[in-house]
Amino acid sequence: MSDEPRDDGFDDLLDAIADGEGFYVECDEGHGSLPPRLACPQCGSQELSEEPLPDSGEITTYTVVTVPTPQFDEDSPYVTAIVDFGPVSITGQVQGVDPEDVETGQVVGIDVGETVTRDERVIVFEPR
Amino acid sequence: MTDPRVAGVGLTHFGKHPDRTGRAMFAEAGLAALDDAGIDPDDVEALFYGNFMGELAEHQGHQAPLMAEAVGLDVPATRYESACASSGAAIRDAVFRLRNGEADVALVGGAERMTNVGTAAATDALSIAADDLYEVRAGMTFPGAYALMARAYFEEYGGSKAELAEIAVKNHDNALPNEYAQMQQEITVEDALDAPIIADPLGLYDSCPITDGATAAVLVSEDYADDHDLDAGVAITGSGQGGDKMALHDRRYLARTPATEDAADEAYDDAGIGPDAVDFLEVHDCFTIAEVLALEGLDLYEPGEAIGAAARGETTRDGDLPVNLSGGLKAKGHPVGATGVAQLISLTKLLEGRHPRADAVESADTALAHNAGGTVASATVHVLQEVGR
Ligand SMILES: [Zn+2]
């Protein structure tokens, strides 16, 4: 890791996911969201706590990106997907499976990997 | 409270003009609009200007005063940035200013220089309309985001890539006589289906091009139009705006666009009309699937029904509800910050009978403009009606 400033909340979540201790932010009404949060994006409640992220979720939708931005130049083609973990959904890349074999409804776990192009951290989903 | 009139419109050619500066393009559009309006430029009281990626494309922030100056105006000027809905948001504030009686003449417009940075950098610039931390860093591109929505739509309601292709074919066909359009080029469903995939399931012909261009319109109060005997028979009779969560994964729906629904409800209510009064419209078809989502969000189709509208001939030029007679973003082009006002220009010319596709809507008097930002985390809707002089 470089000495670049961190992105509080986001980098904390990635650290936690990498340690197998992923979490999400939950308000007192039970709405889930991703950090950093001072208010619930669904209802505005400021009564927030960190709760453990379920260790698997289901792919809601995905795409195989063949025309990437420069920071993913050498990563393409890659699969970007939205995964429903129940209280929250998260966007990341599906790895460890041929893009042709990715399907909606597939059950995946979450981890943190690195991009090929720039060695940047990326949220990764792998089939369970 | 009276409805602002569209007194004059102007735009540049939409296309690849990498050497043209934003200021030069906006000067051309703005001066054309003033000329078309036939008003004294000294009467303009404010500029409402839309631009999205000026910092990235031209290393130029604070663009609004620069653009006022480019048109030769010494007026307060403000830039609006709501991604692709930037100039839709600019129109909305200009409408409010005129309705409030706080101004009688406003210039609205937008400009975007995009092709000078190349495709990769433009793709990168467009991606920043999404959540940087949680979407862009996961590799989401602008086409990728709409691909996620397209697959969610197919899963929820059904539909096919061939039906999306029919939308592209329709919009290309509409653009054929439009001399301002980037693509005056006929395509077939086969062309679209055979085109390279950008972000599965969306291919090259599902996507709008990268475009340079500028647009401007002179909006005036009804009193000003009357006092100056202006030929300004088109009024903006309704305005609405809606919002949604920034990231797709935080949305309640992936195959519906509540921001459009809210903007439409407000605009219909504001104009005192229902969706059934709409004769034709320009919607934000940055991707073919976006036209589908727009028509459903605008309550012109039930969810799941608009996917086949072009294939069934309902939204084609000779259909009951012509959509994107200008060619849409798909074929006319999408200079992001200029697009909202481009829609206003097309609708005004169509209602006034001076658009190359005006024959399709000869007896029509009510039109809708739908402008969306990002993956529709922002949306504006305006109702335009021919009210006569
Ligand atoms: Zn809440």
Side-chain angles (χ1 to χ4, degrees), chain A residues 7 9-11 13-14 32-37 41-42 60-72 78 80-82 89-93 104 115 121-123, chain B residues 119-121 123-125 127 131-141 143-145 147-152 155 197-202 245 247-251 254:
Chain A
D7 289 307
F10 175 77
D11 280 319
L13 176 60
L14 265 58
S33 62
L34 300 174
R37 297 286 179 187
Q42 304 295 334
T60 312
T61 185
Y62 68 93
T63 179
V64 185
V65 176
T66 38
V67 179
T69 55
Q71 55 268 40
F72 291 95
Y78 58 85
T80 290
I82 296 176
S89 287
I90 299 178
T91 303
Q93 291 191 6
T104 57
T115 66
R121 294 206 295 179
V122 61
I123 291 174
Chain B
T119 301
T123 301
D124 184 42
S127 76
D131 181 333
D132 178 65
L133 294 179
Y134 283 110
E135 294 187 308
V136 180
R137 293 194 196 185
M140 189 188 279
T141 60
L148 292 171
M149 296 167 88
R151 190 179 308 280
E155 292 273 330
I197 296 293
I198 297 177
D200 180 59
L202 301 181
K245 303 287 177 281
L248 284 176
H249 59 236
D250 287 328
R251 306 250 179 104
L254 288 173

Side-chain angles (χ1 to χ4, degrees), chain B residues 6-11 29 32-37 216-218 341 344-346 348-349 352 354:
Chain B
V6 185
V9 298
L11 73 166
L34 290 170
D35 185 53
D36 188 43
V218 177
V341 171
L344 176 84
I345 292 170
S346 299
T348 300
K349 288 181 171 178
E352 291 177 343
R354 57 178 176 129

Side-chain angles (χ1 to χ4, degrees), chain A residues 75-92:
Chain A
D75 292 72
S76 74
Y78 58 85
V79 180
T80 290
I82 296 176
V83 171
D84 180 1
F85 286 89
V88 281
S89 287
I90 299 178
T91 303

Side-chain angles (χ1 to χ4, degrees), chain A:
Chain A
M1 289 276 288
S2 68
D3 292 332
E4 287 207 0
R6 287 165 56 87
D7 289 307
D8 274 350
F10 175 77
D11 280 319
D12 298 338
L13 176 60
L14 265 58
D15 289 348
I17 291 171
D19 290 341
E21 294 171 355
F23 65 92
Y24 67 97
V25 178
E26 188 181 72
C27 81
D28 55 351
E29 299 287 323
H31 303 131
S33 62
L34 300 174
R37 297 286 179 187
L38 295 180
C40 171
Q42 304 295 334
C43 72
S45 167
Q46 296 180 31
E47 301 298 318
L48 307 177
S49 61
E50 289 182 2
E51 301 296 330
L53 186 70
D55 69 7
S56 68
E58 275 188 18
I59 294 178
T60 312
T61 185
Y62 68 93
T63 179
V64 185
V65 176
T66 38
V67 179
T69 55
Q71 55 268 40
F72 291 95
D73 202 24
E74 293 160 38
D75 292 72
S76 74
Y78 58 85
V79 180
T80 290
I82 296 176
V83 171
D84 180 1
F85 286 89
V88 281
S89 287
I90 299 178
T91 303
Q93 291 191 6
V94 182
Q95 295 183 358
V97 57
D98 193 294
E100 298 273 313
D101 296 329
V102 175
E103 292 174 10
T104 57
Q106 225 164 13
V107 176
V108 295
I110 189 167
D111 202 348
V112 174
E114 278 193 352
T115 66
V116 178
T117 314
R118 293 191 187 166
D119 301 330
E120 286 167 337
R121 294 206 295 179
V122 61
I123 291 174
V124 166
F125 305 126
E126 285 174 338
R128 277 291 163 93

Side-chain angles (χ1 to χ4, degrees), chain B residues 14 32 77 113 136 175 187 193 205 215 217 223 234 248 262 279 284 291 318 339 357 370-371 374 380:
Chain B
F14 282 12
R113 185 181 187 186
V136 180
I187 63 163
L193 292 176
Y205 284 19
T215 53
D223 284 348
V234 173
L248 284 176
D262 292 347
D279 294 317
H284 198 92
E291 179 166 315
D318 50 2
T339 283
R357 288 302 189 200
H370 163 260
N371 192 198
T380 64

